[in-house]
Structure formats: structure tokens, C-alpha cells
Amino acid sequence: MADTNREIVFNNVSKFYGEVLGVNRVSLTIPPGITSLVGPNGSGKTTLMNLMTGLIRPTEGTLSVCGLGPDQPEEFFAMVGYCSQFDSFPRGITGFDLVYNGLMLHGYEYEKAYRLAMEAIDRAGLVQAAHRKVAGYSKGMRQRIRLASAIAHHPTILVLDEPLNGLDPMARAETIALFQSIAQEGLHVIVSSHILHEVDQISDQVILLSSGYVVAEGPIHDVRTDVTDHPMQIMVRCSDPALLASKIFAMNHAVEAKLHTDGKGLLVRTRDVNNFYLLLNQIVESGALELEAVAPADDDVNSVYQYLIGSEGNSI
Amino acid sequence: MSTLQPDWRKRFSQLRAVVTIEMRRYFFTRQALAIYLLALAPVVIIGLHAITSPLGRHCNIAEDTEILAGIIQLFYVHLGIFFGCLILFTWLFRGEIVQRSLHYYLLAPLRREIIVLGKFIAGAVTTSIIFCVAVSLSFIFMYGHFGPKGQQFVFDGPGLHHLGAYLVITVLACFGYGAIFLALSLIFRNPVIPGAFFFGWETISSVLPATLQKFSITFYLKNLAPVELSGKGLLSVFTVVAQPVSEFIAIPGFFLFIGLALYFACWRMRTIEISYAKD
Ligand SMILES: Nc1ncnc2c1ncn2[C@@H]1O[C@H](COP(=O)(O)OP(=O)(O)OP(=O)(O)O)[C@@H](O)[C@H]1O
Ligand SMILES: [Mg+2]
């Protein structure tokens, strides 16, 4: 029982924006540590985070964050820091004032608010620019000042929506180090990204989202084996699908293929997509046929996995 | 201080923080510029009158007293403060949504009621300051240009009492209209239509049955007016008090009115969600 006070629990939560689906029937239990929410654009990452922090309310279902809800804002937001995806600020505000005003809203004394604000700004590496207007900041600096504002009150639950977006490699490394130091204190860090590769090294657990559904969750290792166990379908359109099929069978037996009914495409099923792409490249380079298009053939979980996890070690 | 519960002390500092943050913004916005224009237009006119009629050469105190009363009750209460508050208060939350900055408040550890109350106080104090300065300037120009006669009217006659009543009316009008517009802005996206409706209501309410009149801001303010306007023709609609009530009813009745509007605003605020959708 004591544990539910350290977990973030989604209980069959759905959110619809009018007719549009935000997330659907999400049930999750997130233990402390670094958790990544990963999914392509529009998959519901921001929706989940806004739900978690009470900026929006579930259409159905319930959720609780360490035993509290956003209906008790005084306790709740004293422990939650949320760096949202909204890249917007009150008009004409300086970086320092953004952080400082946020702390004043906690009801702190001036000295304490000032000290915490400077500390957070220092951590975000913005001391030089602190008294300049945010409107004149670069994208990365705006990202960092929002991060500073989210961590300034020393939250025990840090929710960060695509926090690495727009940061240079140095700042990325520093920000990641910051997450790790926070997570080591036994706190929650929830990070979203549309590139799994970017966050899987640091995550204790991963939640994969697609079109508003949670398609996989758990420690990164489990999620990855989940993925490699599923064969993946790819549609290849080319000048001579039959020739392509025969060449593929000759070179690799792990691939299934069947001609598309219109005679201009080949539907390929494979567990090892990376290898298949290499093969395809070789065939095309040999000049035997002309390629028109290559695309994941289905919109199901597999193609999302591939999109997310295939990027690892490869390009994108 | 120590008698306050720690919780309440914190809430009080949070409220103070909201008011401070908000007030620093208001005086220099485009909205404030419009309010300055509304507030200062009569001051300019009275100033011109004072220049063209030094020492009351072409006018007399009784007449000018009535003109000033008319300017305050007809222009300021009905138009200037009304539209000033419409401009400022409907923008308090709307502006944060348009500029996509409301979430900074919603993510802070304070009750949403405090956000509403803080913004309301900041807005009401701002408009009160602007309009009280304008009303005082109008008053000074109006009686100043009579020289010693004017001085006598102000300090030995009923002048100071008038000024006090005008300032009370001004402040109450800012708080009253402010509360209503704040509440309206949380229901309607576009405040123009409900604003026009409310304007029509305030205008015609004087000819409605006495019970209905009590649901308008001007009803209470009219009861506090120090100078009765000899309403002629159509203007009497704005000035005649059908069924006068005493100040002891007018002021509490007024605060009840404000309280209800704010209560409603808080209730809306508790369920508000961030969407920042394109309008
Ligand atoms: N305010 C809104 N009104 C209507 N639909 C919305 C709103 N916010 C989100 N949606 C829809 O909900 C779905 C999920 O959006 P969400 O912003 O959560 O995705 P995301 O994973 O954060 O995407 P991104 O990587 O682009 O940030 C999308 O289909 C989106 O169009
Ligand atoms: Mg998002």
C-alpha cells in the first residue's frame, strides 16, 4: 500500500478533444526512476503529460500521482515540476523573472525565491542571459529557461516534454546528467521523445505510444525483445516485383514475400528489417530493377516499433 | 502574524505574489493605453474649459457642479469605467490564453481561486488608480479655475464631500464592472456580444421594475451620487432613482453582487483546461 504513494497510476484513462482521440484506455503504473514516453508526432505524449499535471482532465478514467491529484494543487505542485512543450512566455518577461515569479507563487520569502531562482538558472547555464528578455533568447535557451523554471523548487516528480529538443550536444549531455542525478535520489523523471534512441540509454523504463494507445511498456530490454519477436511488413513498389522476389529468396531465407494483387508491388515480411534494407540496396545498386517506393505496409504496432527502434544505430 | 494558520499565511503571500506579478504588467499594455484615453478625455475637456473661462468668467459654480456630476455619472460610470473595465478584465484570462502563458499559473502550487482573486484585485486596483486620478483631475480643474470662490466651495462648502463620494463611486464601479467582466470572460470567448448585452441592461435597467434594478451595477452607484441631476428628457433614464435605498443597503448589496460574480469565476476556473486551440 505504501508503494502506491510512490507511483504514478493511470487507471483506464481516455482523453478526447471533442471528436479527436488524444489517448485511449491507458492503464499504467510508473515506478520511480527515469521513464521515457516515446512515440511519433501526435501519438499522445503531450496529452499524457498534460493529464498527469492536471492541465487537462481525463474524459474517462482516473489517475493519481504519488497518491495525489491536481485537485489538491497546493501539495501537488509543490512536488511536481513540469517543463511543457508550449514554447511561450508571458509577454516581455526576462528569464530571471520567469523563474523568480514562479517561485514567488509558492509563497516563498524574497530571499529564498531569489536564491532558488539563481541556483536553477545557474544549473541551466543561463546566468549571463538571465536578465535579458526571453523573447530574445534562442530556441535552446528558451528550452533551458523552461527547464530551470521546472526544477527551481526542487520537485520530486519532474515531467519533461521533449526536453532535449533544440539543445546542442553539450547541453544535452548536461541535461541528461541532471536527469540522472535527480533519478538517483529516488525521484521520478518522466521524459518524452519521438526518438527512442535518444532516451533509451538513460531510461529505467520505456512506454511506447502510437495513435493514442500504449503499445508497449516496461524495462527497455523487454520492450526491445518484444519488438524483434514481431515480424514486420514492408511494401516495395518496383518495376519488376517478381524478379525482386526471386533475388531476395536467393540471398536470404528469413524473408517471406508475396506479390501484390496489382502486380506492381511486393509485400515483404521479415523479422530483421535492417538486414532486409541492406539487401534491397544491393539489389538496386546492381541495376537489375528500378525502385519506386518502400514503405511500412501496415499501420500497426510493428511499423511503429520499427520506426522508433529501427532508428537506433542507423540514420534518422 | 503568528495567529494566522501557516496555510493561510502562505496563501496570503501567494495572493500578494499574484497581485504584484499582474500589476507590473497592466500599466504598460495596449489595453492600458485605451484606458488612459478613456479616462483622460473629460479631463482634457474640463481643462480647456478652465483655460477659456478663467476665474469663472463665463460660468458659475452651481452650473459647473451639475456638469461635473453629469460627467461623472453619465460619462465615467456609464461609459469610461464600463469600457475601461471591459477592455482590461476580459483580457485577464483571455490574454493568457492568446499568449499561451496560462499554464505557468496552473502549474504553480496555489489554489485556482487565488489566481482569480489576485488577478481581480490587481485589475480593480489598476483601473481604480487610473480613474481616481482622472476624476480627481477633473474635479481640480473644475473648481480650480474659480479661484478663491472655488476654494471656498471645496473646503468650506460641500466640495470635499462630493469628491469623496465620486471617488467611492469610481472605486466601486471598477470593482463591480471588473467582477462581472471577469466572470463573463470565463464563459464567452468573445466578450463583445455579452458586453453589449450588459451595456444595454445597465442602460435600460432604470426603467425596469424595482426588483430587477437591483441586478445592475449602476443602481447601487446612483444611490451614492452626491449631486442629483435634474434629468431632462432621455437623460433622465440614467439619473433618476426610482426607489432609493440607503447607503447601508447599497454598499453591502453591491458587495454581494461582486461576491456572486467572483464565486462564479472561481467555479469556472476550477474546471478550466488548457487547450490553446486556434480560435
Ligand atoms: N487541444 C487539442 N485539440 C484537439 N486535438 C488535440 C489537442 N491536443 C492534442 N490533440 C490531438 O491529440 C492527439 C495527440 O496529441 P499530442 O499532442 O498528445 O501528441 P504528441 O505525442 O505530444 O505529439 P508531438 O510529438 O507532436 O508533440 C493528436 O492527434 C492531436 O491532434
Ligand atoms: Mg507533444
Side-chain angles (χ1 to χ4, degrees), chain A residues 39-82:
Chain A
N41 296 133
S43 55
K45 304 181 294 289
T46 300
T47 302
L48 271 191
M49 292 188 155
N50 284 351
L51 282 167
M52 226 179 266
T53 52
L55 289 187
I56 54 176
R57 269 147 219 278
T59 317
E60 267 167 48
T62 54
L63 61 109
S64 88
V65 175
C66 298
L68 283 175
D71 286 333
Q72 299 134 285
E74 289 173 322
E75 299 85 26
F76 184 82
F77 289 110
M79 69 177 190
V80 174
Y82 180 25

Side-chain angles (χ1 to χ4, degrees), chain B residues 107-181:
Chain B
L107 294 174
L110 75 176
R111 296 177 64 101
R112 291 189 176 183
E113 290 85 346
I114 292 183
I115 307 173
V116 173
L117 206 60
K119 275 183 173 273
F120 170 69
I121 293 173
V125 170
T126 304
T127 44
S128 294
I129 290 175
I130 296 174
F131 282 105
C132 281
V133 167
V135 165
S136 306
L137 284 177
S138 301
F139 185 88
I140 291 169
F141 286 163
M142 197 57 117
Y143 292 109
H145 83 286
F146 284 105
K149 262 195 299 174
Q151 215 171 356
Q152 199 182 17
F153 178 85
V154 172
F155 294 105
D156 303 326
L160 275 185
H161 164 71
H162 287 184
L163 179 62
Y166 290 146
L167 293 181
V168 169
I169 290 176
T170 303
V171 169
L172 289 181
C174 291
F175 276 74
Y177 289 138
I180 304 261
F181 285 125

Side-chain angles (χ1 to χ4, degrees), chain A residues 280-314:
Chain A
L280 190 62
N281 281 346
Q282 285 167 21
I283 296 170
V284 172
E285 273 164 21
S286 72
L289 43 80
E290 240 168 82
L291 211 56
E292 280 167 31
V294 181
D298 41 14
D299 253 350
D300 71 359
V301 176
N302 297 335
S303 51
V304 176
Y305 283 175
Q306 189 54 41
Y307 165 77
L308 295 167
I309 293 175
S311 63
E312 183 192 13
N314 280 346

Side-chain angles (χ1 to χ4, degrees), chain A residues 17 20-22 39-47 85 162 194, chain B residues 275 277:
Chain A
Y17 300 98
V20 183
L21 172 72
N41 296 133
S43 55
K45 304 181 294 289
T46 300
T47 302
Q85 208 178 15
E162 310 210 6
H194 55 274
Chain B
S275 89

